[in-house]
Amino acid sequence: MKRILLLVVVSFLVWSGFAQEKALVPVQNFEGEIYVGATGAMFNMDGYLKRMSINFGGELRYNLKQLPVSVGVFAETYYPDRKYKDPDTPFNFENNGGGLYGITGEYDFRRGKMFNPYASVALGLGNLHVINENSKCTPAFRLKAGLELVYHIRISASVTFTKRDLCGFGVHLGGVIGGRPKK
């Protein structure tokens, strides 16, 4: 695990160096993103099997002028599904999830280019619901990385850390309005 973390940090530093070689392309100040995807649970609970589920969300970001960084807010649904192992029970699944919302920061490796890899970090709250428990707010932390294609299409993968039983991963396809190079 330590090797993987070290590889990610070194890769981030190398890509950052390549991204800073050229002057920044001026881009529009604001951008909005809407995405849909699939999410799954990272950890098994006793007596349950993991299952993929749909999620969707959105972000509104402000692009800083001197840095290839944007900051903003996000909100998304979050449903890491689990299925009971008991085949005799009808409707033998439970939907643990709810909503995530908070602030996000994003680093664009090639801002203003047709193909722009990016990485983002988000910190917020999860209003999570677990079957047979009360809804509760817990801190949420999300790492997301992806590729922006032709200024408007985004493909990404994310990992979300919340209460241990509700940690999950996801893959997303989204659309972006704004944030393209200024004319």
Side-chain angles (χ1 to χ4, degrees):
M1 186 68 182
K2 290 180 182 178
R3 290 180 185 172
I4 293 172
L5 182 61
L6 181 63
L7 179 65
V8 168
V9 169
V10 169
S11 298
F12 183 77
L13 293 174
V14 169
W15 276 98
S16 298
F18 287 132
Q20 296 299 328
E21 285 182 6
K22 297 181 182 178
L24 289 176
V25 175
V27 295
Q28 294 174 339
N29 293 337
F30 288 96
E31 62 184 350
E33 176 184 2
I34 297 174
Y35 53 88
V36 64
T39 186
M42 286 174 50
F43 303 109
N44 256 345
M45 292 172 56
D46 293 334
Y48 294 88
L49 298 173
K50 294 184 275 189
R51 196 171 89 140
M52 294 299 285
S53 173
I54 192 164
N55 79 322
F56 58 92
E59 298 182 10
L60 180 61
R61 295 182 297 272
Y62 176 78
N63 293 313
L64 301 177
K65 292 180 181 169
Q66 287 80 17
L67 298 171
V69 173
S70 57
V71 293
V73 295
F74 79 98
E76 75 175 43
T77 61
Y78 183 68
Y79 294 103
D81 279 356
R82 291 182 173 82
K83 184 175 181 178
Y84 293 106
K85 289 182 181 176
D86 182 11
D88 298 332
T89 308
F91 307 111
N92 54 356
F93 66 91
E94 81 176 22
N95 194 330
N96 296 331
L100 300 175
Y101 45 90
I103 57 173
T104 184
E106 180 176 297
Y107 185 87
D108 295 312
F109 292 99
R110 298 186 60 205
R111 178 187 273 182
K113 306 292 183 187
M114 297 266 304
F115 299 98
N116 173 26
Y118 66 92
S120 73
V121 175
L123 183 63
L125 290 175
N127 186 8
L128 303 171
H129 175 72
V130 179
I131 301 297
N132 299 326
E133 291 184 25
N134 292 331
S135 294
K136 57 181 88 173
C137 276
T138 63
F141 179 71
R142 183 186 72 192
L143 299 172
K144 186 174 175 184
L147 180 64
E148 183 175 297
L149 307 168
V150 295
Y151 310 119
H152 297 293
I153 299 170
R154 284 189 159 204
I155 301 168
S156 63
S158 68
V159 178
T160 304
F161 300 97
T162 61
K163 182 180 169 189
R164 186 188 190 290
D165 298 338
L166 296 173
C167 292
F169 63 92
V171 291
H172 314 280
L173 178 64
V176 176
I177 298 173
R180 62 182 165 77
K182 289 184 176 178
K183 295 180 180 180

